[in-house]
Amino acid sequence: QVKLVESGGGLVQPGGSMSLSCVLSGGIFSRYAMGWFRQAPGKEREFVAAIHWDGRATNYGASAKGRFTVSRDNAKSQVYLQMNSLKPEDTAVYYCAADVLRIGQNPDFYNYWGQGTQVTVSS
């Protein structure tokens, strides 16, 4: 069974940066497109970013474009989310997800999900 595990969350000040990682096990990492989603208290799940299996195509949500960067290292079975210029409204649980080659914004496309990692942006 495919398993995803996120890491790197925590507390960061507004304007700061944070990098999240996600590792896949139980499958061949390069067969999957990878996505990042987030969910804040009282809000619905929001698409953040996604990357194609070979890393040559990416997709970003409106709130992430220009500030966040998604990348992957297939040799290490890992996907990353570099977050810069963080704002309090970025506070949420961030989830890593895997799809079969698609990089869509609809969470229903994704077959596997990690447990989530908390990101808190506060002074």
Side-chain angles (χ1 to χ4, degrees):
Q1 177 64 45
V2 171
K3 183 174 72 175
L4 303 173
V5 180
E6 303 96 335
S7 62
L11 177 65
V12 63
Q13 293 185 341
S17 298
M18 178 173 285
S19 181
L20 305 181
S21 300
C22 174
V23 61
L24 180 147
S25 62
I28 301 176
F29 183 71
S30 60
R31 291 181 177 177
Y32 297 95
M34 303 297 299
W36 288 96
F37 293 79
R38 68 187 186 187
Q39 188 164 19
K43 300 183 66 176
E44 295 185 349
R45 187 175 299 175
E46 178 187 14
F47 173 76
V48 177
I51 186 167
H52 195 250
W53 69 271
D54 61 0
R56 295 185 177 182
T58 56
N59 191 9
Y60 291 94
S63 63
K65 192 171 185 178
R67 297 189 298 130
F68 296 179
T69 302
V70 62
S71 61
R72 67 190 294 161
D73 185 343
N74 285 351
K76 297 183 180 296
S77 297
Q78 292 184 338
V79 63
Y80 311 98
L81 183 68
Q82 177 65 47
M83 303 184 291
N84 299 324
S85 302
L86 285 163
K87 307 172 182 178
E89 52 263 44
D90 294 318
T91 296
V93 176
Y94 284 71
Y95 296 92
C96 175
D99 187 20
V100 182
L101 302 183
R102 292 177 294 184
I103 54 172
Q105 299 187 14
N106 189 340
D108 293 339
F109 292 165
Y110 295 84
N111 296 310
Y112 307 103
W113 294 83
Q115 83 289 349
T117 185
Q118 176 71 48
V119 174
T120 301
V121 185
S122 177
S123 60

